[in-house]
Amino acid sequence: MASAIQPKEPPQPLNHFFVGQDNRGCWTVRDERNLVGGCFVSKDAAIHFARQETNNAPGAVICMGESQRLSLDPLFGHREAA
């Protein structure tokens, strides 16, 4: 009796998520494709969201440095005020 072999689907490229604070000090998350993101009440909540979105893939969540700012403007198509 023969059995059918199902071909594996090619792996999807890893979508990285960035976690950081915006200019107002709010914790933000944004993916590298500017499709998913949001503001969160804490760093822990932001990281939790990013990990869920990436299914806990190793290396998929990147925390920005304290001196760096992460804007959600690219996600919503807005320009940052000067």
Side-chain angles (χ1 to χ4, degrees):
M1 179 191 263
S3 63
I5 298 175
Q6 297 293 327
K8 288 187 176 182
E9 291 184 27
Q12 296 295 319
L14 184 61
N15 190 15
H16 292 93
F17 277 74
F18 301 98
V19 176
Q21 289 182 290
D22 65 11
N23 289 333
R24 296 178 306 241
C26 297
W27 285 100
T28 60
V29 175
R30 178 169 48 97
D31 77 320
E32 65 185 333
R33 297 178 188 144
N34 296 321
L35 299 173
V36 179
C39 291
F40 297 86
V41 297
S42 68
K43 182 178 182 179
D44 289 339
I47 291 172
H48 178 77
F49 171 80
R51 284 184 176 157
Q52 282 190 317
E53 288 294 310
T54 61
N55 292 321
N56 288 311
V61 178
I62 301 165
C63 291
M64 308 295 287
E66 288 188 28
S67 63
Q68 297 173 307
R69 295 294 173 232
L70 183 64
S71 173
L72 291 178
D73 290 342
L75 184 70
F76 298 109
H78 300 136
R79 290 189 162 180
E80 193 163 322

